[in-house]
Amino acid sequence: MGLVRPVDLKVQPVPYQVRYEVLQKIVKTLERFESASGDTGRRAVEMEASVARKSGSGQSYRFNASVLLRDLLKTKGKLPQESAAGGRVKRVGTTIKLTRSDAMRLLEGAVVDEAILAENGYNTGKLEREVEDLQLSSAGHKYTSCIRCNTKFDRLQIMSPATCRFHVQRKRYNRDTREGEYACCGETTSSTSFLALGCKTLPHHVFRSETFDAMSQISPFKSTADIQGDANVLALDCEMAFTSLGYELIRLTVVDFFTSKLVFDEIVRPFGEVIDLNSEFSGVHAIEDHKSITFAEMLTQVLSKSMINGNSILIGHGMENDLNVLRLIHRKVIDTAILYPRGKFKSSLKDLAFEVVSKRIQSGEHDSSEDAIATMCVLKAKLEIPLSQTIWD
Ligand SMILES: [Zn+2]
Ligand SMILES: [Zn+2]
């Protein structure tokens, strides 16, 4: 069969060369299942064009193309007569086992573009470093607002006793009473009770550095690009605590995508003095020396040929938070908060897991491996990878 070329479109979501390559992949896939006829090329061109027309960005083009290729494999090259509406392929009755390379191709297609990572708060190593908005006074104070109670305080005096009164959870709008309500204790925003100021009191205010520059001062960012190793796929989940130095990693959990096995789970000692372990969310109640490792030890164990390396695909939900506390710059990322956008707010993993895979999580304390596994399930559902498949050829 002669070479086929993508049809011209006024707006191209990706460079022509990328469309050309995708088209050749579609042709190859079709040829696996049918003896090449004049029709194969025409169908492939139409399929590619339909993907290009419905994709508003390079990101969605690559994603839609990988979904199409996967669907073609599943249906052995027969899309339900290319439903003109571009609708989804009908569910095939039997569960089809994917090969590892099929799954890898789908995952590669869901890897987030670097520019989108940067927009979502990931350190791509290329951003201008902004200067942190700190009010430095001549007397050597570093004033900042407490992110819990909004009181202005001197960061250099963070360990001196203070009164920080706050609500553990955000307020939500209650449609019945038509007012704001705190999920933690049920206090309403109109309440005149003393408790309306907050249901928890701690002796210190807290802050969180937002710039990569400020984060680097505690521990520098490290790029995984030069770490050689296997093209593995890992789901990450971190727990963080407030310390005298800000917001720091206290636990890292890593789960292997293909086997769902826990490959790393350690409590990590922060650099600063602990103010609040966020136990109700983090599930970490104490950091004991003999049951924890240092940040440097964590990096040595985790950055390796067989674990996190330059070729790894890392999966997480709102993973900019995780990678930033790990101080990692990593290129191949799949973020379920980006794959499932919810208007201007990020979707919560709890809601997503329930909506997408009917999984109830975080009913009590957060459990890192539960979160990592829920994230993987959400992603598998999106890519239509069988949830329970743990053996791959
Ligand atoms: Zn409260
Ligand atoms: Zn405070």
Side-chain angles (χ1 to χ4, degrees):
M1 192 179 62
L3 281 180
V4 288
R5 295 195 170 74
V7 295
D8 282 329
L9 291 177
K10 275 206 183 106
V11 185
Q12 305 223 61
V14 285
Y16 184 83
Q17 186 58 29
V18 177
R19 291 187 57 203
Y20 183 82
E21 281 158 18
V22 166
L23 178 58
Q24 307 315 316
K25 278 187 199 161
I26 298 174
V27 171
K28 273 212 187 97
T29 310
L30 289 177
E31 283 174 348
R32 277 173 63 175
F33 304 110
E34 56 190 50
S35 51
S37 64
D39 206 32
T40 309
R42 186 190 54 76
R43 287 182 63 213
V45 169
E46 275 172 15
M47 287 178 195
E48 190 283 331
S50 127
V51 165
R53 281 193 199 100
K54 72 177 178 191
S55 305
S57 65
Q59 175 77 21
S60 70
Y61 177 85
R62 275 186 268 270
F63 181 70
N64 289 328
S66 69
V67 169
L68 170 73
L69 286 164
R70 190 267 326 277
D71 286 347
L72 285 176
L73 277 177
K74 274 177 104 170
T75 58
K76 303 213 186 304
K78 287 184 182 53
L79 291 189
Q81 217 27 39
E82 276 91 68
S83 55
R88 304 279 301 165
V89 174
K90 276 193 213 98
R91 225 33 85 239
V92 190
T94 51
T95 315
I96 290 172
K97 229 177 115 205
L98 287 183
T99 64
R100 193 185 160 103
S101 62
D102 287 340
M104 277 309 271
R105 207 185 45 243
L106 288 171
L107 292 162
E108 293 277 358
V111 165
V112 181
D113 281 351
E114 197 166 28
I116 295 174
L117 286 183
E119 276 168 29
N120 281 275
Y122 284 84
N123 187 351
T124 56
K126 290 178 182 163
L127 264 188
E128 282 295 296
R129 300 209 181 281
E130 304 155 40
V131 177
E132 194 159 20
D133 181 26
L134 258 191
Q135 296 159 24
L136 274 166
S137 77
S138 52
H141 298 295
K142 258 187 164 183
Y143 285 107
T144 193
S145 292
C146 172
I147 60 169
R148 280 175 160 169
C149 71
N150 213 27
T151 304
K152 204 173 260 189
F153 72 102
D154 182 356
R155 215 186 259 193
L156 301 177
Q157 300 296 321
I158 191 167
M159 295 314 286
S160 319
T163 303
C164 182
R165 183 182 287 276
F166 60 97
H167 286 284
V168 178
Q169 291 181 28
R170 284 162 199 274
K171 64 179 174 217
R172 291 184 175 182
Y173 182 71
N174 181 327
R175 270 179 227 168
D176 298 328
T177 60
R178 296 189 173 194
E179 51 178 349
E181 191 177 276
Y182 292 97
C184 38
C185 56
E187 275 295 322
T188 60
T189 36
S190 67
S191 163
T192 51
S193 153
F194 179 63
L195 276 174
L197 292 173
C199 55
K200 190 172 175 185
T201 307
L202 283 181
H204 305 285
H205 297 297
V206 293
F207 72 97
R208 177 175 174 170
S209 296
E210 297 293 345
T211 66
F212 302 137
D213 192 32
M215 293 177 202
S216 307
Q217 287 167 22
I218 300 168
S219 179
F221 275 87
K222 207 176 162 88
S223 168
T224 57
D226 299 329
I227 305 168
Q228 309 288 321
D230 316 333
N232 52 15
V233 184
L234 306 165
L236 299 192
D237 192 63
C238 293
E239 301 299 340
M240 291 75 139
F242 286 110
T243 76
S244 56
L245 294 175
Y247 194 58
E248 293 194 69
L249 174 76
I250 50 168
R251 181 180 179 181
L252 168 64
T253 307
V254 183
V255 177
D256 181 84
F257 181 83
F258 288 106
T259 60
S260 294
K261 280 200 181 117
L262 190 64
V263 291
F264 187 87
D265 185 31
E266 295 285 348
I267 305 279
V268 180
R269 293 197 283 281
F271 292 95
E273 242 181 284
V274 171
I275 291 175
D276 187 1
L277 289 173
N278 294 318
S279 302
E280 54 276 73
F281 301 113
S282 70
V284 178
H285 293 269
I287 298 183
E288 295 164 282
D289 280 357
H290 65 289
K291 287 183 188 164
S292 60
I293 58 176
T294 65
F295 190 85
E297 286 166 341
M298 178 278 298
L299 282 183
T300 317
Q301 292 178 26
V302 147
L303 297 178
S304 75
K305 192 173 157 301
S306 57
M307 225 190 289
I308 299 176
N309 64 72
N311 297 315
S312 303
I313 294 180
L314 301 182
I315 300 171
H317 184 85
M319 199 167 44
E320 72 279 11
N321 293 313
D322 305 77
L323 291 184
N324 286 341
V325 293
L326 288 166
R327 302 294 194 271
L328 290 182
I329 298 174
H330 187 74
R331 178 57 199 92
K332 293 167 107 183
V333 162
I334 301 179
D335 188 327
T336 49
I338 298 175
L339 281 184
Y340 286 88
R342 285 283 187 281
K344 87 183 167 151
F345 297 101
K346 288 215 160 145
S347 49
S348 82
L349 179 60
K350 185 177 181 167
D351 294 344
L352 259 191
F354 188 66
E355 285 164 28
V356 180
V357 285
S358 313
K359 231 179 154 72
R360 274 189 201 284
I361 59 161
Q362 299 170 9
S363 39
E365 283 177 352
H366 279 210
D367 171 338
S368 307
S369 63
E370 183 188 61
D371 285 5
I373 287 169
T375 306
M376 289 194 322
C377 287
V378 167
L379 176 64
K380 285 176 179 172
K382 178 98 184 176
L383 300 178
E384 293 178 32
I385 293 173
L387 289 194
S388 51
Q389 183 174 340
T390 50
I391 296 165
W392 306 78
D393 307 321

